[in-house]
Amino acid sequence: MISWLCTRPVFAQAARAALSGPKLAHVRISDATMSPWAGHDGVTHLFVTGQLDSANVARQGDVVVCSSSASNSEVQRAIDILKAETGTCGSWLRISQNAHQATAGDPDGNVTLHYVEMNSTGQLTLTDSLRYLTHALTDFAAGIGGNPALPRILVLGLGENAVPRLESALTVSLATMTAVYVNEVIDLATNYSDVRSLTEPSRPSSLVPAPDGSLAEMPAFEPRDFVAWGKSVLLVVPTENRQKVELLHRHVQRCLPHATIQRLTLKADSGVGEQPYDEAGIAGAYNRINAALDSLQSKTCAHILVSKQIGTVIVGAIENFVQTKNGDSLPTDHGIIVLHNATQSKTVSCLTSGVTIAPEYVDRARRFGFVNGNQSHGRITVGQIMAAHLGRGLDKADWQKTLAKVSRYQLLAEAAQALQLPL
């Protein structure tokens, strides 16, 4: 039996709304404002959901998970799996809420999960950003009562205050998010056989040819005016992924062996979430290039064009995505490479060979929701789900190397060799 103690009525309402079906028989929900929790016979774990004052230290709207469970318990194992799957991303907790609703702490509606561990001496281990919440968490845990040896999992939303019964929009949001988290942990703990099925792919990953070129057709970019200040080439790559930058640089240098190549990397959001699906792959590459073109209009970039004697500006982007619209075929990961000559308004693109994916990993990744409700813009990558369940030293950013025996960067390099520069 699992006991779930809620510190306010709104949290109890959210808890009852989150649970359904057979789980209700294994979970007992209590409202601490109605009666103090004195423990229940046969209880193996105690979940507590409530709200803590953020104390202007952590961001309002975030969620703290503090666990004192035994490391070998099914509940703790479920928490560890969930942490491996989603990391500090807590935005999936907003799945059941308005996709465009923002938290008080982040106007984009992003939520960070903060994991806090309780060691064998009962002391809390906090990140620096949460260290001032130590006393609040300790007092909160001490006030629960009941059997102190009972494994406890505190899932607490960070709000503007801790006044009971104050049900602001933020409090209601926190109640829903903490309930979604606890429900997911209970699902994993009580259906562990389903989780075990993810420890071995149902279908092996294999290489497939690049799809029809029509999938790589890009919308036209708005022309920009660039003055030729010399004969050097400026390669602009809107990503912080070093391997992608190096790959594009080598390709341009190989195509223009006698040219002076200057390189500029920019930070740009793809706008398609962490895991693009289907047409979002092209959209992500387009958005990165478009953002780079906008950045090149700044005074700082204008100075670079003059000082480096730039005559040609080429912007390159690489975006991997999962193609799910394959008829009866398996989901497949492809990469798209786009090179845009901003000086002459010419664009070329190509797709890499693909690597098939066992569908259960895509299904699991999609379970954690989408950015702004767009089902092509996944919040959690398929690679992160694979890494959480398969282990084996699998790199979430290059799972292809382990499962298909070929790195995705090798596939990108092979595709780039056939791509002519847009000159």
Side-chain angles (χ1 to χ4, degrees), residues 155-189:
V155 184
L156 308 175
L158 299 180
E160 68 274 39
N161 57 63
V163 179
R165 301 181 183 276
L166 180 59
E167 298 183 3
S168 65
L170 175 59
T171 298
V172 173
S173 175
L174 293 173
T176 301
M177 290 193 293
T178 55
V180 168
Y181 185 92
V182 172
N183 180 59
E184 190 66 27
V185 170
I186 293 174
D187 264 348
L188 288 171

Side-chain angles (χ1 to χ4, degrees), residues 46-57:
L46 171 63
F47 283 92
V48 181
T49 54
Q51 180 172 315
L52 274 180
D53 185 352
S54 65
N56 297 319
V57 177

Side-chain angles (χ1 to χ4, degrees), residues 158-352:
L158 299 180
E160 68 274 39
N161 57 63
V163 179
R165 301 181 183 276
L166 180 59
E167 298 183 3
S168 65
L170 175 59
T171 298
V172 173
S173 175
L174 293 173
T176 301
M177 290 193 293
T178 55
V180 168
Y181 185 92
V182 172
N183 180 59
E184 190 66 27
V185 170
I186 293 174
D187 264 348
L188 288 171
T190 56
N191 298 296
Y192 191 62
S193 59
D194 293 341
V195 177
R196 287 183 63 85
S197 68
L198 294 170
T199 60
E200 193 65 38
S202 63
R203 302 282 293 275
S205 292
S206 59
L207 281 174
V208 297
D212 183 272
S214 62
L215 286 177
E217 293 179 359
M218 298 290 296
F221 292 98
E222 181 182 345
R224 267 80 163 183
D225 292 328
F226 290 99
V227 176
W229 297 100
K231 295 184 178 180
S232 296
V233 175
L234 178 64
L235 172 63
V236 183
V237 187
T239 182
E240 295 179 297
N241 185 313
R242 181 181 56 81
Q243 289 171 287
K244 291 181 179 180
V245 173
E246 294 294 340
L247 188 152
L248 290 174
H249 189 195
R250 286 195 301 270
H251 177 62
V252 173
Q253 190 73 74
R254 184 171 57 248
C255 293
L256 300 173
H258 303 297
T260 299
I261 311 296
Q262 302 290 344
R263 192 168 78 186
L264 175 64
T265 58
L266 299 172
K267 184 177 181 180
D269 185 9
S270 69
V272 294
E274 291 296 314
Q275 179 59 75
Y277 295 98
D278 303 308
E279 62 275 3
I282 293 176
Y286 180 89
N287 291 342
R288 288 185 188 277
I289 291 177
N290 215 35
L293 292 173
D294 289 341
S295 296
L296 287 171
Q297 307 301 309
S298 69
K299 291 183 179 180
T300 300
C301 289
H303 174 72
I304 293 174
L305 297 176
V306 176
S307 63
K308 300 296 184 181
Q309 297 185 318
I310 302 301
T312 301
V313 177
I314 295 176
V315 186
I318 295 174
E319 196 78 31
N320 273 74
F321 64 98
V322 174
Q323 185 70 18
T324 63
K325 299 175 181 178
N326 293 332
D328 295 331
S329 301
L330 292 173
T332 306
D333 180 88
H334 292 279
I336 182 170
I337 306 172
V338 183
L339 293 172
H340 175 67
N341 185 328
T343 308
Q344 299 184 24
S345 295
K346 295 180 180 179
T347 307
V348 295
S349 60
C350 68
L351 292 168
T352 69

